[in-house]
Structures are given as structure tokens and as C-alpha cells.
Amino acid sequence: MEFKLNDYHRNISDNDLLEDILRVASNLKKSSISQSDYKNNGGKYGVGTIAKRFNGWTGALQKCGLMPNKNQISVSGISKTDMISDLQRVAEKICKKTFTTSEYSQYGQYSRSVFLRKFGSWNAALKAADLEPFDHPLGCGSKNKVSEYACLEEIERIWILLGRQPTTTDIKNGISKYSLHVFERRFGTWRKALEFFVAYMNDEQEVEKSDKIGNDIQPPNNIQEQIEDEKQPHKTKREINLRMRFLVMKRDNFKCCMCGRSPATTVGLELHIDHIVPWSKGGETVIDNLQTLCSDCNLGKSDIEL
């Protein structure tokens, strides 16, 4: 199983960008779409790329003949009080005292740019709403502090969360534990970080061994698991490495195979990798015997074969 990065968009024509905005707007049956609408409904290109090309998202919408988003066209008419109330409403809805702009965009009424213009920064807006500032662990960390493997794990987590290839815009919007500088210092550029990630995931040798970069295979958690492991002869190890886990989730479109939910549409949902034929009953750790389940379905399935 192999996957590829999205096409590099530096040489994409203006017409291609505008046509894709119109395609998403047509699918949503809207006369105006926000950046979040575009990103979350199959937009092919980064909103940052589009904004730079047309002097902002509103400029792109006008080029398409679409109505500018009301949040972007009349920023001066939006009060800080309304924005603070909306932050508090979203916080209550997702049961969090702090969150990223990406999390807010799923339920909030206003764009990130409106908050930046009104408050100066996202954290300043959170503080005004009596919420906690969003802290990026090791946000300004050095190459030596964040390991190569930790960077790969974070790219995998974000890719699974979004259900698509993450962009620099996603990282800048606060969805990552690490800042864009961490990936750039480690790999040179964000694109090179993605290329390294893809090369690592496509390395066929990684199926047969534990991860080279430092993720050692762990022993069974308890004696009962060890006894069950010894009942059946196995050709593979029970533990699922980073590469195999990601490839299985990508094959399953980053959705639970039982209920169809995904982290991209269900806030807080966790995806697990499950042995279809349980390990305790002789099932092997191979891609064809693995499936993606959410934590709820995986708990309900237990060791039942489906």
C-alpha cells in the first residue's frame, strides 16, 4: 500500500483555484462560503495560498462572483462582546477551557482573521472571554528538543484528525502541539517534513520490524496477555507500529469501520486499530487483518470476530 502527497500548488493557475472554490460552494449550495467551509468540505488547496493569490479570501470570493462572507466584509460592525459570547458558547459546547482556532471554526460564527483584527491575537481573545490561553508545548522548541519520531507522530495525529494532508495553514492555526518552526528546523521546510513522513510510511521494510527511529516494541501489559500470546503460534508481533497504524487508517478513510464516525466530524473521537481475527485466536498483525474502530466500537467489540 502506497500513498502520495498532494500536488505542490505553487504553480496552480488562478483559474484552477477559483474553479475549486466554486465547486465547493456548488456542493454546499451556498452563495458564500467561509475558509472553514472550504477546508472542511473537500477543498483541494490551502486557504493561505488562495488568500495570498487574491489579496484575501474576500478577494477570491469576489473573483468567483460569490458574495463575500459577512464576517469578513463588515468587521467593524462586529462587537467584541458578541465575539466573546461566541467563544464562551463554543467552550461550553465542546467542554473545554481552551481550544485552537481550528476547533473554534467547527462551531464558531466568526473567522480567525476577525479575532486577530479585534484582539490582536487568539490568546488575547481567549483571555477576554475568561478562557485559558492555548499553550503550544515546545512551540519554540529547538531541533534537539523534539525528536524526529515525535514529529512524525504529530504529523500522523494531525492527518488522522483532519482526514487529509495537513497544510502550513493548519499548523499556524494552532492544531499542532509544535509550531511550524519545529518542523522547519528538523526537516528544512514543512514540505520536506511531509516528504520524509510519506517516505517513511511507504518503506515496505517497516512492516516486518519495529520502528527504527526509536519506538521499541513493548511487552504484553499483563500476565494474562502473555499467556494468550503463547497459546497461538504467530508469525508477526502483536504491537502495531506507527507506519502500519497510519496506512490502515488511511485505507479506511480515517473513519470507524463500524459506525462511520471520524475525528474530522466528531470532536474528541479517538480511532484505534483492531485485529479483525483477534490476536488471542491466532490473528496476525498484517494490514488485511486490521481495521479502524473508534474507541466506543472497539470497546464494544472486545475480542469478537466480525
Side-chain angles (χ1 to χ4, degrees):
M1 178 188 242
E2 184 176 7
F3 72 100
K4 300 178 181 179
L5 290 176
N6 296 338
D7 293 334
Y8 206 13
H9 299 150
R10 178 173 293 175
N11 298 320
I12 294 295
S13 70
D14 288 358
N15 192 53
D16 286 338
L17 295 174
L18 297 176
E19 284 184 355
D20 199 56
I21 294 173
L22 287 170
R23 177 185 62 80
V24 174
S26 176
N27 290 341
L28 294 176
K29 298 180 180 180
K30 288 184 174 183
S31 60
S32 178
I33 60 173
S34 66
Q35 295 181 45
S36 297
D37 287 333
Y38 180 77
K39 287 193 298 182
N40 297 330
N41 291 279
K44 294 180 181 179
Y45 311 114
V47 294
T49 299
I50 295 172
K52 288 179 182 178
R53 193 73 65 88
F54 300 102
N55 295 318
W57 185 253
T58 297
L61 293 178
Q62 291 173 335
K63 283 282 188 180
C64 291
L66 298 173
M67 295 292 293
N69 184 281
K70 64 180 182 180
N71 293 338
Q72 295 170 316
I73 198 171
S74 58
V75 174
S76 59
I78 301 172
S79 71
K80 284 188 175 182
T81 300
D82 289 340
M83 297 171 72
I84 288 171
S85 295
D86 200 53
L87 284 172
Q88 292 170 337
R89 177 186 62 81
V90 171
E92 183 176 353
K93 183 176 182 65
I94 66 177
C95 300
K96 287 186 175 182
K97 289 291 290 180
T98 189
F99 41 86
T100 67
T101 54
S102 296
E103 290 174 305
Y104 170 79
S105 67
Q106 297 182 54
Y107 304 102
Q109 297 179 19
Y110 309 110
S111 69
R112 175 175 178 266
S113 61
V114 174
F115 282 98
L116 293 180
R117 293 182 192 179
K118 289 286 186 179
F119 294 92
S121 71
W122 179 245
N123 277 343
L126 292 174
K127 183 178 180 180
D130 293 324
L131 299 172
E132 298 173 2
F134 184 77
D135 181 29
H136 295 261
L138 297 176
C140 296
S142 69
K143 176 178 177 179
N144 294 329
K145 287 185 178 179
V146 183
S147 70
E148 203 169 71
Y149 188 78
C151 288
L152 295 182
E153 283 189 312
E154 185 62 6
I155 293 174
E156 182 211 34
R157 184 190 69 80
I158 298 169
W159 203 312
I160 292 169
L161 178 65
L162 298 174
R164 59 170 172 78
Q165 178 185 314
T167 65
T168 54
T169 301
D170 296 319
I171 306 303
K172 290 176 182 177
N173 281 346
I175 197 171
S176 172
K177 291 194 300 184
Y178 312 127
S179 72
L180 188 60
H181 294 298
V182 171
F183 296 101
E184 290 174 341
R185 289 177 182 178
R186 172 61 67 177
F187 299 99
T189 65
W190 174 247
R191 182 71 181 185
K192 288 181 180 179
L194 292 176
E195 289 172 350
F196 187 95
F197 177 79
V198 168
Y200 175 70
M201 291 301 171
N202 287 332
D203 185 356
E204 293 297 333
Q205 294 181 356
E206 292 298 324
V207 176
E208 305 297 335
K209 59 189 178 183
S210 62
D211 296 330
K212 288 181 179 179
I213 306 180
N215 191 29
D216 294 332
I217 295 297
Q218 299 296 318
N221 293 329
N222 54 50
I223 295 176
Q224 183 60 38
E225 284 188 8
Q226 186 172 347
I227 293 173
E228 289 177 354
D229 288 355
E230 293 173 352
K231 286 181 181 178
Q232 301 286 347
H234 287 91
K235 297 178 181 179
T236 56
K237 296 180 179 180
R238 181 172 188 165
E239 287 71 24
I240 303 165
N241 64 27
L242 176 71
R243 176 190 181 278
M244 185 175 290
R245 180 176 67 195
F246 183 81
L247 292 180
V248 171
M249 288 190 183
K250 186 176 187 300
R251 180 201 64 194
D252 296 337
N253 297 315
F254 305 104
K255 296 179 180 179
C256 175
C257 291
M258 293 183 69
C259 70
R261 295 184 298 167
S262 75
T265 56
T266 305
V267 176
L269 185 75
E270 291 186 11
L271 294 180
H272 297 171
I273 298 300
D274 169 70
H275 287 79
I276 298 173
V277 177
W279 176 267
S280 61
K281 296 182 180 179
E284 296 289 355
T285 305
V286 294
I287 287 181
D288 289 343
N289 189 46
L290 299 174
Q291 63 180 344
T292 304
L293 295 181
C294 69
S295 54
D296 295 336
C297 291
N298 193 33
L299 181 63
K301 174 183 179 290
S302 187
D303 64 348
I304 300 172
E305 292 183 43
L306 298 177

